[in-house]
Amino acid sequence: AAEDSLFCSSTSKFPFPPSNLHCSRLGLPPISAMELMIHSSSFLLPNIPAGEEDNHRHSPTYALVLLNQRLPQFTPLLWQHARVRVCADGGANRVYDEMPLLFPHEDAAIVRHRFKPDVIKGDMDSIRSEVLSFYSELVSRATSGTDVVDESDDQDTTDLHKCIAYINGAMPNVDKSSFCILVTGALGGRFDHEAGNLNVLHRFSTTRITLLSDECLIYLLPKTHRHEIHVNSSAEGPHCGLIPMGMPSGRTTTTGLQWDLNEAEMKFGGLVSTSNIVKAEKVTVESDADLLWTISIKKF
Amino acid sequence: AAEDSLFCSSTSKFPFPPSNLHCSRLGLPPISAMELMIHSSSFLLPNIPAGEEDNHRHSPTYALVLLNQRLPQFTPLLWQHARVRVCADGGANRVYDEMPLLFPHEDAAIVRHRFKPDVIKGDMDSIRSEVLSFYSELGTDVVDESDDQDTTDLHKCIAYINGAMPNVDKSSFCILVTGALGGRFDHEAGNLNVLHRFSTTRITLLSDECLIYLLPKTHRHEIHVNSSAEGPHCGLIPMGMPSGRTTTTGLQWDLSE
């Protein structure tokens, strides 16, 4: 039928020894055939841990996409970690209006100069003209003005889709296993927008994309991999969930949750794991379906 | 496979003549075998149209469930239309705190007395003690279900309302829900799942920006749009399972199988 074929990026940078704990029970090939994908929300920490040579893990690199909803309180932290910052259309209004509000003791103009997007992209039907002028004219000694890419003629893809495609195209040589695109403003508001944004996670399944709000974060756990989620309990949790968004799951197994799943069936109309609680520093998930992982974010 | 068997309430009160426009193309049995379900958001209008005798349509009746997110601006309108109003746990905090804000020129205590929930239900881990006291002393029925951790607060409220109104005509009865969207995504997903789990009950989730309800595959659907109150932005979301074929009319970008 209309089943998406999902594929995820290689995890050859994360050489954890495979174990065969569950493979015989699940009737699957040895787990060495199902690669491990490791997840960590280190972008929520003030200082991102450096790459650990003994584990051959590279320091994570980030891009930031800002959509047109209220900025989360921790947006400046994300901005600081990101290598590139892209506003999707009205997301530029949010940066212009709300970054100064996050630094109430500083001059608004100074804050606006400090938080200058690298790119503004989309169909330009939401961005205010004075915001557009401000950023495209902004010139400092070190950087050029914001690059404005008008795609008002492309009505077939969402603004987020355009931004993800842009970033992927702009960074073709980046190590995808340690690169993640952080997105603010994708949740809440109009539900058709939110659903379209959740669909972007599925359509760009080879790209790590994390949707963020003040309350929670969401990312895709593709069924092609088994997953280890490293929980930074200073910044996230304990509330979490696993959502079979586009297709039912015949069996999902987890460890590290208060209500672990043991080859459990999950689907809309039946069981969906919500209001679960993280119990360990590491959560593992194996499933026959793509799942959305969501975890609450602690008050900043 | 694991396809939801979704079913919606009978539309025998809405005797529109079946047409066979698409049935042969779709390879489906005659449309008389697939019932029509009609949808209308008349609760968004100040005055709900009375039942129209010539079409045998009953006036719609509503219940209102308030969950723990900021109240939409039009909540007083929903409250006025509803026959019963149920707060899910911290939803009572919202009514207590925010109804007065929607009537800034009136005395807060007067507003709070006017908007008294009929029931407060759930596991009571969010409602503030002073809010709980205020409403229970006013006569609100408080139903504590803190021992039931297997179902969400919304699920408990829907089950409660269905149990409290066993004889209601389900084809013209709808449960309106505020506060189900936004906030923590696992809560939102759980609330969307309630729509699927109670597929024989009309449930509409509402926020300031949009509304959502289920279109079960067992019926063909007519959605009557009140353009004074809703639209034009809309969408159809296959949540939970893919759709092999969907056909629409009336949209800018219609789907054709």
Side-chain angles (χ1 to χ4, degrees):
Chain A
E3 217 178 355
D4 292 338
S5 66
L6 295 170
F7 176 78
C8 196
S9 60
S10 162
T11 57
S12 56
K13 300 291 178 191
F14 302 98
F16 284 82
S19 77
N20 291 317
L21 278 171
H22 299 288
C23 67
S24 53
R25 283 208 291 141
L26 293 176
L28 287 176
I31 280 182
S32 54
M34 190 186 286
E35 289 190 78
L36 178 68
M37 189 174 174
I38 295 177
H39 309 267
S40 170
S41 305
S42 44
F43 54 82
L44 290 175
L45 305 174
N47 301 300
I48 295 175
E52 296 161 32
E53 289 302 332
D54 53 337
N55 277 345
H56 306 284
R57 275 161 72 178
H58 290 203
S59 294
T61 57
Y62 299 105
L64 177 61
V65 176
L66 304 111
L67 303 182
N68 193 5
Q69 302 278 352
R70 199 162 53 89
L71 299 181
Q73 296 285 302
F74 49 78
T75 301
L77 180 64
L78 307 180
W79 191 286
Q80 168 193 320
H81 290 322
R83 186 195 287 193
V84 65
R85 301 96 176 188
V86 179
C87 287
D89 196 1
N93 297 338
R94 297 289 177 169
V95 175
Y96 185 89
D97 294 338
E98 296 175 19
M99 279 302 200
L101 300 179
L102 297 175
F103 297 90
H105 304 297
E106 294 189 48
D107 183 272
I110 290 176
V111 176
R112 288 185 176 127
H113 277 71
R114 187 155 89 243
F115 293 98
K116 178 186 80 65
D118 299 298
V119 181
I120 297 173
K121 191 166 175 65
D123 47 31
M124 306 303 170
D125 58 5
S126 299
I127 188 171
R128 298 199 308 271
S129 52
E130 73 269 22
V131 173
L132 186 54
S133 311
F134 177 85
Y135 287 122
S136 42
E137 288 162 22
L138 196 58
V139 175
S140 71
R141 236 175 273 160
T143 64
S144 59
T146 300
D147 195 10
V148 176
V149 185
D150 182 338
E151 288 191 328
S152 47
D153 57 332
D154 179 0
Q155 293 294 325
D156 286 340
T157 55
T158 63
D159 283 346
L160 177 59
H161 186 122
K162 292 179 176 70
C163 290
I164 302 293
Y166 170 83
I167 290 169
N168 281 342
M171 303 176 76
N173 299 318
V174 77
D175 175 13
K176 283 197 121 180
S177 63
S178 57
F179 173 67
C180 183
I181 303 179
L182 310 174
V183 184
T184 65
L187 309 173
R190 266 171 50 190
F191 182 69
D192 65 317
H193 277 166
E194 183 177 302
N197 293 330
L198 292 167
N199 192 30
V200 168
L201 300 187
H202 292 78
R203 293 185 81 167
F204 287 90
S205 55
T206 60
T207 302
R208 291 178 185 257
I209 305 168
T210 299
L211 307 184
L212 289 141
S213 73
D214 274 309
E215 286 88 11
C216 68
L217 61 82
I218 305 173
Y219 51 81
L220 187 76
L221 302 180
K223 68 188 176 200
T224 47
H225 286 64
R226 58 193 178 90
H227 300 275
E228 269 184 27
I229 299 164
H230 294 247
V231 178
N232 291 300
S233 57
S234 64
E236 55 185 343
H239 307 287
C240 62
L242 285 162
I243 320 294
M245 171 120 326
M247 57 172 146
S249 164
R251 49 162 214 279
T252 296
T253 298
T254 69
T255 66
L257 303 177
Q258 174 137 349
W259 292 284
D260 272 320
L261 302 170
N262 188 3
E263 297 183 10
E265 186 184 322
M266 286 207 294
K267 62 176 185 181
F268 274 82
L271 169 72
V272 173
S273 179
T274 65
S275 294
N276 212 328
I277 302 275
V278 172
K279 277 299 190 199
E281 281 180 6
K282 188 174 80 173
V283 170
T284 69
V285 182
E286 288 179 51
S287 180
D288 64 342
D290 300 312
L291 301 175
L292 291 180
W293 162 257
T294 182
I295 188 167
S296 56
I297 290 178
K298 295 196 162 155
K299 259 305 195 203
F300 187 65
Chain B
E3 223 177 350
D4 290 341
S5 67
L6 294 171
F7 176 77
C8 197
S9 61
S10 162
T11 57
S12 58
K13 298 292 178 191
F14 302 97
F16 285 82
S19 79
N20 292 319
L21 276 172
H22 298 288
C23 69
S24 52
R25 282 209 292 141
L26 294 176
L28 288 177
I31 281 181
S32 53
M34 188 185 286
E35 288 190 77
L36 178 69
M37 190 174 172
I38 295 177
H39 309 268
S40 171
S41 304
S42 45
F43 53 83
L44 290 174
L45 305 174
N47 299 300
I48 295 175
E52 296 161 33
E53 288 302 330
D54 52 334
N55 278 348
H56 306 283
R57 277 162 68 177
H58 289 202
S59 294
T61 57
Y62 299 105
L64 177 62
V65 176
L66 304 112
L67 302 183
N68 194 3
Q69 301 279 351
R70 198 161 52 92
L71 299 182
Q73 297 285 302
F74 49 78
T75 301
L77 180 64
L78 306 180
W79 191 286
Q80 168 192 321
H81 290 323
R83 187 195 286 191
V84 64
R85 301 94 174 188
V86 179
C87 288
D89 196 1
N93 297 338
R94 297 289 177 169
V95 174
Y96 185 88
D97 294 337
E98 297 174 19
M99 279 303 201
L101 301 178
L102 297 174
F103 298 89
H105 304 297
E106 294 189 48
D107 183 274
I110 290 176
V111 176
R112 289 186 175 125
H113 278 73
R114 186 154 89 242
F115 292 98
K116 175 184 84 66
D118 299 297
V119 181
I120 296 173
K121 190 167 174 66
D123 46 30
M124 306 301 168
D125 57 5
S126 299
I127 188 170
R128 299 198 310 268
S129 51
E130 72 269 21
V131 174
L132 186 54
S133 312
F134 178 83
Y135 287 123
S136 49
E137 284 163 26
L138 268 187
T140 299
D141 196 10
V142 176
V143 185
D144 184 333
E145 287 194 332
S146 46
D147 57 330
D148 177 2
Q149 292 295 323
D150 287 341
T151 55
T152 63
D153 283 346
L154 177 59
H155 185 123
K156 292 179 175 72
C157 290
I158 303 294
Y160 170 83
I161 290 170
N162 281 341
M165 304 176 74
N167 300 318
V168 77
D169 174 14
K170 283 197 119 177
S171 63
S172 58
F173 172 67
C174 182
I175 302 179
L176 311 174
V177 184
T178 65
L181 309 172
R184 268 171 47 192
F185 182 68
D186 67 312
H187 276 166
E188 182 177 301
N191 292 330
L192 291 166
N193 192 29
V194 168
L195 301 188
H196 291 77
R197 293 184 80 167
F198 286 91
S199 54
T200 61
T201 303
R202 290 179 186 256
I203 304 168
T204 298
L205 307 184
L206 289 143
S207 74
D208 273 309
E209 287 87 11
C210 66
L211 61 82
I212 305 172
Y213 52 80
L214 188 75
L215 302 180
K217 67 188 177 198
T218 48
H219 286 64
R220 59 192 177 90
H221 300 275
E222 269 185 28
I223 299 163
H224 293 248
V225 178
N226 291 299
S227 56
S228 63
E230 55 185 341
H233 308 286
C234 61
L236 285 163
I237 319 296
M239 176 137 313
M241 58 174 151
S243 163
R245 106 195 145 246
T246 296
T247 299
T248 69
T249 65
L251 302 177
Q252 174 136 352
W253 293 282
D254 271 320
L255 302 169
S256 178
E257 295 182 7

